[in-house]
């Protein structure tokens, strides 16, 4: 019985937006603006929570985790995206591509887990307020953050190994300016059933379960809020959840869109796949700091005070 010689290219060739190769220099501007907003906005929130004692509460600790995840996601895609659009440098080494793929999917899964933790925070604050401080201690919050990070890395650790066993002999051209597992799998000239099954298993067992429990927490929250007699108090209580609901929509709507296009839109134009993937990766890190700054007055006040101290 002979051994199968698994061949890999020395590097992959990254693509910006198919059909718009001549416009990459024009697209670099909006891309840089999005990265600047994502990195600056999330860094400002992290600093505001760190410096403002009134924000040393569970809700804002979870928000810090979300901002940290967004910064990590932006930094993971930033080098190759800017090289592709600004410097017209398209090559990425095979192993570097595997690492980037692993990190992108890990930080994405981490964000899903943090959004679930934030929904639990809102559930306890509204449905069990008397035990809020005793249930969500600093140790519990740190443990939840560590559990989310550990689960993400352990769950996705097999992904690079599963891909590395596949021979790549069709092409080395990827459809994006970064490395994603579904895009890389298409280049394999072998049976990718195991990779597809594992990818689907990860999707359902993490994102699917997270989304189910987020939905369940809001069903319980609504049930509790409807028991409040005063309409004004009901609206005031629900208003504390608006930022989180918008954050959940900003993350899950593009994610469901890109998954749907990947599984059921195989004959859709390539630019649709690229557009959905870009929205999925770039929109949440840009929108989250805007949403929380606009909808949470405590965050706004802390940011104003922080800049006032800097000015002084």
């Amino acid at each position: 019985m002979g051994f199968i010689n698994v061949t890999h290219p020395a590097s992959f060739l990254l693509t910006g937006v198919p059909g718009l190769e001549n416009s990459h220099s024009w697209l670099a501007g909006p891309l840089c603006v999005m990265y600047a907003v994502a990195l600056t906005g999330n860094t400002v929130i992290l600093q505001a929570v760190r410096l403002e004692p009134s924000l040393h509460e569970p809700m804002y600790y979870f928000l810090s985790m979300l901002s940290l995840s967004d910064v990590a996601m932006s930094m993971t895609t930033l080098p190759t995206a800017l090289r592709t659009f600004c410097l017209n440098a398209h090559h990425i080494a095979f192993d570097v591509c595997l690492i980037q793929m692993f990190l992108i999917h890990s930080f994405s899964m981490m964000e899903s887990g943090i959004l679930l933790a934030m929904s639990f925070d809102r559930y306890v604050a509204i449905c069990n307020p008397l035990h809020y401080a005793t249930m969500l201690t600093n140790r519990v919050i740190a443990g939840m953050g560590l559990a989310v990070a550990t689960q993400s890395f352990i769950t996705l650790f097999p992904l690079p190994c599963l891909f590395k066993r596949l021979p790549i002999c069709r092409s080395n051209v990827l459809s994006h300016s970064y490395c994603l597992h579904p895009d890389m799998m298409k280049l394999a000239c072998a049976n990718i059933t195991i990779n597809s099954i594992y990818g689907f298993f990860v999707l359902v067992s993490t994102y699917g379960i997270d989304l189910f429990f987020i939905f369940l927490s809001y069903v319980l929250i609504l049930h509790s809020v409807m028991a409040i007699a005063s309409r004004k108090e009901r609206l005031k209580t629900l208003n504390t959840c608006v930022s989180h609901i918008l954050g959940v929509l900003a993350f899950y709507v593009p994610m469901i869109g890109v998954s749907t296009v990947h599984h059921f839109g195989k004959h859709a134009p390539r630019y649709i796949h690229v557009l959905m993937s870009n929205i999925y990766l770039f929109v949440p890190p840009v929108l989250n700091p805007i949403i929380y700054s606009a909808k949470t007055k405590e965050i706004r006040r802390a940011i104003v005070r922080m800049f006032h101290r800097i000015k002084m």
Side-chain angles (χ1 to χ4, degrees):
M1 183 178 177
F3 292 99
I4 298 173
N5 183 27
V6 178
T7 56
H8 297 138
S11 64
F12 287 109
L13 196 65
L14 298 172
T15 312
V17 180
L20 295 176
E21 287 82 2
N22 295 329
S23 304
H24 279 180
S25 57
W26 293 96
L27 294 171
L31 187 70
C32 289
V33 170
M34 291 181 74
Y35 273 120
V37 171
L39 293 171
T40 305
N42 286 294
T43 303
V44 166
I45 286 179
L46 284 167
Q47 281 294 96
V49 173
R50 186 178 72 85
L51 296 172
E52 185 60 47
S54 64
L55 298 184
H56 293 176
E57 295 180 6
M59 175 182 173
Y60 303 109
Y61 287 144
F62 287 126
L63 176 57
S64 294
M65 292 180 196
L66 188 68
S67 293
L68 200 60
S69 173
D70 283 337
V71 168
M73 175 67 87
S74 297
M75 292 300 291
T76 301
T77 57
L78 179 67
T80 55
L82 290 188
R83 282 176 73 248
T84 302
F85 284 93
C86 299
L87 304 177
N88 204 31
H90 297 276
H91 287 277
I92 180 172
F94 180 84
D95 288 330
V96 174
C97 193
L98 281 182
I99 293 168
Q100 187 185 49
M101 177 264 287
F102 171 74
L103 291 176
I104 287 174
H105 291 297
S106 294
F107 290 130
S108 174
M109 187 184 291
M110 216 177 289
E111 183 148 344
S112 176
I114 294 165
L115 288 169
L116 174 60
M118 294 174 85
S119 74
F120 178 70
D121 167 79
R122 292 297 83 209
Y123 163 75
V124 176
I126 293 169
C127 300
N128 204 354
L130 296 178
H131 295 95
Y132 183 68
T134 54
M135 287 179 71
L136 288 172
T137 61
N138 288 348
R139 179 175 289 185
V140 169
I141 293 165
M144 290 170 74
L146 184 63
V148 166
T150 304
Q151 181 212 20
S152 302
F153 279 92
I154 290 176
T155 305
L156 289 169
F157 189 75
L159 216 54
C161 302
L162 285 173
F163 180 79
K164 208 164 186 178
R165 68 179 181 77
L166 297 173
I168 309 297
C169 52
R170 287 179 181 167
S171 166
N172 70 331
V173 181
L174 296 172
S175 303
H176 307 287
S177 55
Y178 39 79
C179 302
L180 294 177
H181 183 247
D183 190 28
M184 293 165 71
M185 276 197 306
K186 294 174 186 174
L187 305 181
C189 50
N191 192 325
I192 59 170
T193 303
I194 293 175
N195 294 63
S196 297
I197 290 172
Y198 190 76
F200 184 73
F201 164 75
V202 168
L203 197 68
V204 173
S205 65
T206 54
Y207 297 102
I209 289 176
D210 288 350
L211 188 56
F212 170 76
F213 280 109
I214 290 170
F215 177 76
L216 180 62
S217 70
Y218 274 102
V219 169
L220 297 172
I221 285 169
L222 279 173
H223 183 264
S224 180
V225 168
M226 288 302 120
I228 300 173
S230 167
R231 182 175 179 272
K232 185 179 178 182
E233 285 300 313
R234 284 203 299 267
L235 291 174
K236 185 179 176 182
T237 303
L238 284 174
N239 193 49
T240 64
C241 301
V242 171
S243 298
H244 179 253
I245 292 170
L246 292 175
V248 169
L249 292 174
F251 177 78
Y252 278 103
V253 169
M255 193 208 73
I256 291 169
V258 77
S259 298
T260 303
V261 167
H262 170 64
H263 285 100
F264 304 108
K266 288 181 170 49
H267 301 294
R270 279 180 65 197
Y271 67 84
I272 297 293
H273 291 262
V274 174
L275 179 64
M276 290 304 300
S277 296
N278 284 334
I279 291 172
Y280 161 59
L281 287 180
F282 296 142
V283 167
V286 171
L287 284 186
N288 283 335
I290 296 172
I291 289 168
Y292 279 93
S293 299
K295 296 298 297 179
T296 312
K297 63 181 180 181
E298 291 82 5
I299 291 287
R300 287 200 306 273
R301 288 172 182 168
I303 291 171
V304 169
R305 278 195 288 267
M306 184 179 72
F307 282 113
H308 181 69
R309 287 195 204 103
I310 293 169
K311 187 179 178 182
M312 295 291 289

